[in-house]
Amino acid sequence: MHIARTLLICLLMVQVLLFGEEEESIYKEQKIGWQIDLKRISLNFSSTTLRNQDLYSVSADTRLQGDSQIVAQGYLNLNMDYYTPNFVIFNSLLAEYGQTIIFPQNAPSVSNKNLDRIILSSDYTQRIWEFDEFLGIRSLYFELGPYSKVAYQTEFVASNEFGRRQIVRANLGIKLFSGMVLKDFALTIFGEKDFNPNISAQSLGLELGLAFEKRFKHGGKLYYMMNARDYLYNVSSNAYDPKYYLELEVRYDLNLYKKLSIAPFLKLYMLQGKYFDRSGSNIMTGLVFSFGQVLREAPFEIVAKDK
């Protein structure tokens, strides 16, 4: 029995010595299983209360000028992704809401909603090509494959007399994902329909999206996101007929304590209508405190490479 065990060990050692390099080329390390990532949750709240400011309107102190107001903004981004050797399913929830309430003296309050969006999305991405480096740079690892996506977009509160948006959007194209620096890059054809009966809009076009993330040794992280749509075809029951849409965000996160960070940011939203000579835009800049944590990390497993 001992002799048989010794011979078996010797045969295994010979196999490792003779075919070790071949085995390295046959197997690879890859994420497998569920990953739950609370990307970011943040809350921005401020309150300003002024009294008897009209008596001091000639004062040079601007702290006694203006109106009382409350500003509140909240943001949540949660991802739940499932990795297999052949494909990945990315599921995400994005919710944001912001409101400013102004209390003019001797007049009714004025409420202004400046953020309101809920997006639930799920996409299927095939893991076909894997690049250990790009242009000779090993840090530019990424995977590439065809993908499809379905998303539902709505609001917490209706923005106008037409009621809440009820948009279903479907995409089909190719996607770069799991990159070290270029996290995501997708080029797709999209179709969308607003199921709100008062709007009944249908669209078809091209969409480009990318996300860039660079970490620095001192704990800082630069984040850049851009999403653009070119509406090639649109049918709507009202005068609104979009031509193109652009959204981008630039943020620099600085770690304060463990998973708590502070970040200056810039956000741009732009929409151009086909029958309007000027585009509408919204530019936001500020400083936000946020919290983010990977709640469950998908483990790396040894899987066979495709021949």
Side-chain angles (χ1 to χ4, degrees):
M1 194 72 181
H2 291 289
I3 296 175
R5 186 180 301 174
T6 304
L7 287 173
L8 179 60
I9 293 173
C10 291
L11 286 173
L12 289 173
M13 291 178 64
V14 170
Q15 183 179 359
V16 171
L17 290 172
L18 292 178
F19 305 106
E21 294 184 0
E22 182 179 349
E23 290 297 318
E24 285 185 10
S25 64
I26 294 175
Y27 298 98
K28 62 181 178 180
E29 202 175 31
Q30 203 172 52
K31 274 187 178 182
I32 302 295
W34 281 100
Q35 177 161 306
I36 304 174
D37 187 3
L38 179 60
K39 301 287 287 186
R40 187 159 64 95
I41 182 169
S42 62
L43 178 64
N44 179 20
F45 179 84
S46 65
S47 174
T48 303
T49 303
L50 289 88
R51 294 177 180 174
N52 304 318
Q53 65 269 34
D54 56 327
L55 301 178
Y56 300 91
S57 59
V58 296
S59 170
D61 195 333
T62 57
R63 289 172 294 182
L64 290 177
Q65 297 178 11
D67 295 305
S68 300
Q69 57 183 286
I70 295 175
V71 179
Q73 293 179 349
Y75 180 90
L76 170 67
N77 188 1
L78 175 67
N79 290 355
M80 298 180 65
D81 308 326
Y82 182 68
Y83 292 82
T84 76
N86 299 317
F87 63 87
V88 185
I89 298 177
F90 295 100
N91 305 294
S92 70
L93 165 64
L94 186 149
E96 57 182 352
Y97 187 84
Q99 191 164 17
T100 300
I101 304 175
I102 303 175
F103 302 92
Q105 196 172 28
N106 302 320
S109 62
V110 178
S111 178
N112 177 27
K113 185 179 71 169
N114 46 47
L115 284 174
D116 191 352
R117 186 170 59 156
I118 305 171
I119 300 178
L120 287 166
S121 67
S122 181
D123 76 59
Y124 172 93
T125 306
Q126 193 74 23
R127 306 178 88 165
I128 294 183
W129 300 287
E130 184 177 8
F131 297 85
D132 294 327
E133 61 181 45
F134 185 69
L135 299 177
I137 305 174
R138 295 195 61 83
S139 61
L140 295 183
Y141 165 89
F142 61 87
E143 296 184 58
L144 184 68
Y147 98 117
S148 59
K149 177 180 180 180
V150 177
Y152 171 71
Q153 179 176 340
T154 186
E155 305 168 289
F156 289 99
V157 182
S159 299
N160 50 47
E161 68 276 11
F162 295 114
R164 292 194 308 160
R165 306 299 299 268
Q166 306 283 340
I167 300 173
V168 175
R169 184 178 300 112
N171 296 67
L172 183 65
I174 191 166
K175 181 178 182 179
L176 177 156
F177 62 99
S178 297
M180 297 293 291
V181 178
L182 185 59
K183 292 293 184 181
D184 290 287
F185 180 90
L187 180 61
T188 65
I189 298 173
F190 78 90
E192 67 179 28
K193 177 178 175 59
D194 194 332
F195 286 89
N196 183 324
N198 298 318
I199 300 176
S200 300
Q202 301 180 57
S203 303
L204 180 70
L206 300 175
E207 183 169 353
L208 172 68
L210 65 89
F212 170 93
E213 189 177 289
K214 174 64 176 176
R215 294 181 180 271
F216 298 94
K217 294 181 179 179
H218 57 74
K221 181 177 68 175
L222 176 65
Y223 175 80
Y224 173 83
M225 181 278 295
M226 189 272 288
N227 194 62
R229 297 192 194 108
D230 185 3
Y231 290 82
L232 304 177
Y233 173 78
N234 188 72
V235 176
S236 177
S237 59
N238 52 43
Y240 166 68
D241 197 350
K243 184 177 180 181
Y244 67 79
Y245 148 100
L246 174 67
E247 179 184 7
L248 66 85
E249 178 182 358
V250 181
R251 191 177 73 247
Y252 189 77
D253 293 294
L254 287 170
N255 184 261
L256 289 179
Y257 178 74
K258 292 186 177 181
K259 303 298 181 179
L260 183 66
S261 63
I262 184 172
F265 70 90
L266 181 146
K267 289 184 178 182
L268 168 66
Y269 173 78
M270 183 179 295
L271 183 66
Q272 174 66 56
K274 185 178 293 184
Y275 303 114
F276 303 139
D277 57 349
R278 290 172 295 176
S279 61
S281 63
N282 183 345
I283 300 175
M284 296 179 62
T285 60
L287 197 66
V288 62
F289 290 92
S290 60
F291 174 86
Q293 183 175 5
V294 177
L295 303 178
R296 187 185 191 279
E297 181 81 34
F300 282 89
E301 296 183 8
I302 303 298
V303 298
K305 280 187 177 182
D306 294 332
K307 295 183 177 180

